[in-house]
């Protein structure tokens, strides 16, 4: 029986103490670039967004 491979995960701490996890190899749906696990904290510290470093589209935004 073949078992599916599990993706490795990268983690980045957020200012509020929580951790953002992203599967390695996740690609931008707009330009197909591999995304880095580098979320950008927003003003209140509990919010963040992940943008593509290549095309600069928002990928995830949590308010």
């Amino acid at each position: 029986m073949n078992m599916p491979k599990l993706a490795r995960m990268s983690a980045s701490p957020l200012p509020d103490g929580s951790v953002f996890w992203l599967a390695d190899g996740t690609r931008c749906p707009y330009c197909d670039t591999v995304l880095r696990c580098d979320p950008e904290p927003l003003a209140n510290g509990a919010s963040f967004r992940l943008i593509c470093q290549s095309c600069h589209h928002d990928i995830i935004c949590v308010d």
Side-chain angles (χ1 to χ4, degrees), residues 28-45:
C28 172
Y30 303 101
C31 71
D32 205 40
T33 300
V34 174
L35 298 170
R36 292 187 300 208
C37 186
D38 190 20
E40 176 183 308
L42 299 177
N44 68 4

Side-chain angles (χ1 to χ4, degrees), residues 14-51:
L14 297 170
D16 70 350
S18 60
V19 178
F20 175 78
W21 292 88
L22 183 69
D24 291 347
T26 300
R27 294 187 171 273
C28 172
Y30 303 101
C31 71
D32 205 40
T33 300
V34 174
L35 298 170
R36 292 187 300 208
C37 186
D38 190 20
E40 176 183 308
L42 299 177
N44 68 4
S47 300
F48 67 91
R49 71 180 184 158
L50 179 69
I51 62 169

